[in-house]
Amino acid sequence: MRLLHLSDLHLCSNSETVIYGVNPYENLQRAIRKIQSIEKPIDLCVVTGDISNDGSKESYELADMLLSSLPFPIFVTNGNHDNYHNLVDVQHHKICFQHELTFQGIEFVFLNSVAIAEDGSNRSKGMLSTSEIDRLTRLSFLDKPAIIIMHHPVLSSGSWMDRRILINRELFLSIVNTTPQIIAVLSGHNHCSSKNYVNHCFYSTSPSVSTTYSKNLSPYEEAFTPGFDLLCINGSTISVENTIDF
């Protein structure tokens, strides 16, 4: 299976909106043109959250319209910039939002890692609720490989980005380390690519399609290195075929 991993589109209700010197709408158009130029067929695409920057229904309609030009199925999860209800309620023609998907013998599990603050707003840091942890734990009963799709990264980068990652990551890691069915965890949020193995599991954070950061730059300083990942899955083995800049 060839899997396209996109993240952090950050579309706004107005396609002309610029964020940190970047127009997310134009960046997604560029990404799509790059994807369309890839000769070898892609089987499936996952988007690890922050489809929207402002959570508006219009931003999800724009995402759906642009991504409709791609020929393969596209499944998404929500991020901290997303409005969960708007993402779910908007009538999509292309992008799909669901909790689990079995595709070519792989179980894709979409976890909601968005933490809610006391005022009801989404926090930047992630947190898996008890119910999401229970879903993760139940994967030990699977009879097939599983890939976790979630917005917030789990592993520390040793930089300013660590203040944005999953709060209950030690619990998450302890479960994954004892669940051999989980072969990979795909995330976004950091707007910066990282790839690591912890025991049997591959952890991959995709670069952002919109604004991009670097652990070597100041916090939220624009790096202007948008991109996406193309992964290859063969049975229970997963590898990065290419990280593509555009």
Side-chain angles (χ1 to χ4, degrees):
M1 181 197 313
R2 298 180 78 240
L3 176 68
L4 176 66
H5 179 191
L6 303 177
S7 197
D8 296 276
L9 312 184
H10 283 276
L11 294 174
C12 300
S13 58
N14 186 339
S15 62
E16 297 181 359
T17 298
V18 174
I19 304 171
Y20 297 136
V22 172
N23 181 313
Y25 183 86
E26 292 180 355
N27 266 32
L28 181 55
Q29 287 181 313
R30 289 168 53 206
I32 289 171
R33 287 195 294 270
K34 190 73 173 181
I35 293 164
Q36 290 171 330
S37 72
I38 298 172
E39 293 184 2
K40 195 172 179 181
I42 293 168
D43 297 300
L44 179 70
C45 173
V46 295
V47 185
T48 48
D50 280 0
I51 294 94
S52 174
N53 190 71
D54 58 14
S56 64
K57 290 184 177 181
E58 292 83 1
S59 63
Y60 298 117
E61 291 167 350
L62 285 175
D64 193 61
M65 177 191 70
L66 289 175
L67 293 170
S68 290
S69 63
L70 298 175
F72 39 79
I74 299 173
F75 290 84
V76 306
T77 192
N78 57 308
N80 60 294
H81 277 269
D82 288 310
N83 181 302
Y84 180 89
H85 298 291
N86 284 345
L87 172 60
V88 173
D89 291 344
V90 168
Q91 182 64 43
H92 299 299
H93 299 283
K94 183 63 179 182
I95 60 177
C96 301
F97 183 90
Q98 63 188 63
H99 297 295
E100 294 185 15
L101 163 73
T102 301
F103 189 87
Q104 294 188 11
I106 303 290
E107 189 77 3
F108 289 86
V109 180
F110 297 79
L111 296 180
N112 182 358
S113 62
V114 176
I116 307 299
E118 290 184 1
D119 63 0
S121 63
N122 294 346
R123 297 183 62 186
S124 179
K125 272 191 173 182
M127 170 73 82
L128 290 175
S129 66
T130 300
S131 61
E132 295 296 79
I133 289 293
D134 286 344
R135 292 180 62 214
L136 184 69
T137 303
R138 288 196 297 271
L139 295 179
S140 62
F141 298 102
L142 267 183
D143 60 356
K144 60 177 72 71
I147 294 177
I148 304 298
I149 310 296
M150 58 193 284
H151 184 59
H152 290 83
V154 176
L155 303 183
S156 169
S157 65
S159 74
W160 63 271
M161 294 180 182
D162 290 348
R163 66 192 188 200
R164 298 159 40 87
I165 62 178
L166 193 72
I167 295 172
N168 51 347
R169 56 189 177 275
E170 294 302 326
L171 174 59
F172 181 94
L173 285 166
S174 69
I175 296 170
V176 173
N177 287 343
T178 57
T179 309
Q181 292 92 332
I182 302 174
I183 62 171
V185 177
L186 307 184
S187 60
H189 189 54
N190 273 353
H191 294 228
C192 179
S193 176
S194 66
K195 311 287 182 281
N196 294 280
Y197 266 95
V198 176
N199 296 325
H200 67 277
C201 186
F202 179 61
Y203 291 80
S204 178
T205 300
S206 173
S208 168
V209 171
S210 59
T211 57
T212 52
Y213 310 138
S214 169
K215 64 181 182 180
N216 300 317
L217 297 176
S218 300
Y220 306 105
E221 180 180 348
E222 180 56 47
F224 296 105
T225 54
F228 53 83
D229 285 336
L230 193 55
L231 307 175
C232 182
I233 305 169
N234 186 5
S236 60
T237 302
I238 183 167
S239 59
V240 180
E241 182 175 312
N242 203 354
T243 297
I244 300 173
D245 300 326
F246 57 86

